[in-house]
């Protein structure tokens, strides 16, 4: 069994992604337990790993989204966003134009939230836009595509 992937080090925020599973055994839906930890906060949820389009974008997998971030090492305008099918995970990435990517990771409670009252937790990570973002995309992508 593969080890979880952890983004973050030291006393700062940590995002842990556990190896995906196929809960129905059908090869279509894969889920992964994900956790955020920072300053006494611990949040954990089960994320459906299929992506949904955001603002007219095409459906993309999480590994493909991460590869796009790595390929954009020189920068991009605005915010790039990815959201899981069930909305349990949202990523938003900004490039500062000076060599850093700010990655926001938001976890939400699984299930439908008709009243808009479900919990959510968010941590922000700063990655070097070149090698660090490329390594992150490669390593997390390898875990998710296994």
């Amino acid at each position: 069994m593969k080890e979880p992937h952890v983004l973050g080090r030291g006393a700062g925020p940590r995002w842990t992604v556990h190896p995906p599973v196929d809960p129905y055994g059908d090869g279509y839906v894969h889920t992964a337990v994900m956790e955020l930890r920072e300053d006494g906060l611990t949040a954990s949820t089960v994320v459906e790993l299929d992506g949904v389009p955001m603002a007219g974008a095409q459906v993309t997998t999480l590994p493909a989204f991460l590869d796009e971030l790595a390929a954009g090492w020189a920068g991009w305008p605005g915010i790039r966003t990815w959201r899981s099918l069930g909305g349990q995970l949202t990523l938003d990435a900004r490039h500062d134009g000076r060599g850093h990517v700010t990655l926001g990771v938001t976890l939400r409670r699984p299930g439908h939230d008709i009243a808009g009252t479900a919990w959510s937790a968010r941590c922000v990570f700063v990655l070097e836009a070149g090698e660090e973002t490329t390594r992150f995309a490669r390593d997390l992508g390898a875990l998710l595509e296994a």
Side-chain angles (χ1 to χ4, degrees), residues 55-74:
Q58 294 182 357
V59 173
T60 187
T61 65
L62 179 52
F65 175 77
L66 298 173
D67 286 344
E68 289 175 11
L69 297 183
W73 64 268

Side-chain angles (χ1 to χ4, degrees), residues 106-121:
T106 303
L107 296 182
R108 290 186 176 79
R109 175 185 68 94
H112 296 288
D113 182 24
I114 297 169
T117 58
W119 63 262
S120 67

Side-chain angles (χ1 to χ4, degrees), residues 23-24 29-35 43-49 83-90 106-121:
Y24 308 111
V29 176
H30 290 85
T31 62
V33 173
M34 297 190 187
E35 303 164 358
S44 178
T45 194
V46 176
V47 175
E48 294 174 351
L49 294 173
R83 185 172 64 93
S84 65
L85 184 61
Q88 309 95 341
L89 171 66
T90 302
T106 303
L107 296 182
R108 290 186 176 79
R109 175 185 68 94
H112 296 288
D113 182 24
I114 297 169
T117 58
W119 63 262
S120 67

Side-chain angles (χ1 to χ4, degrees), residues 3-7 15-20 32-35 49 62 89 136 140 143-144:
E3 292 294 316
H5 179 79
V6 179
L7 176 62
W15 176 32
T16 304
V17 179
H18 294 271
V33 173
M34 297 190 187
E35 303 164 358
L49 294 173
L62 179 52
L89 171 66
F136 165 67
L140 183 53
L143 175 73
L144 296 176

Side-chain angles (χ1 to χ4, degrees), residues 77-146:
I79 302 169
R80 293 184 177 179
T81 304
W82 185 89
R83 185 172 64 93
S84 65
L85 184 61
Q88 309 95 341
L89 171 66
T90 302
L91 301 178
D92 57 87
R94 296 169 180 82
H95 194 291
D96 67 2
R98 296 183 303 255
H100 293 93
V101 173
T102 302
L103 180 67
V105 178
T106 303
L107 296 182
R108 290 186 176 79
R109 175 185 68 94
H112 296 288
D113 182 24
I114 297 169
T117 58
W119 63 262
S120 67
R122 177 178 167 81
C123 289
V124 177
F125 303 86
V126 178
L127 303 170
E128 179 267 321
E131 184 58 33
E132 187 177 18
T133 301
T134 299
R135 187 178 336 106
F136 165 67
R138 180 190 65 227
D139 294 349
L140 183 53
L143 175 73
L144 296 176
E145 291 178 342

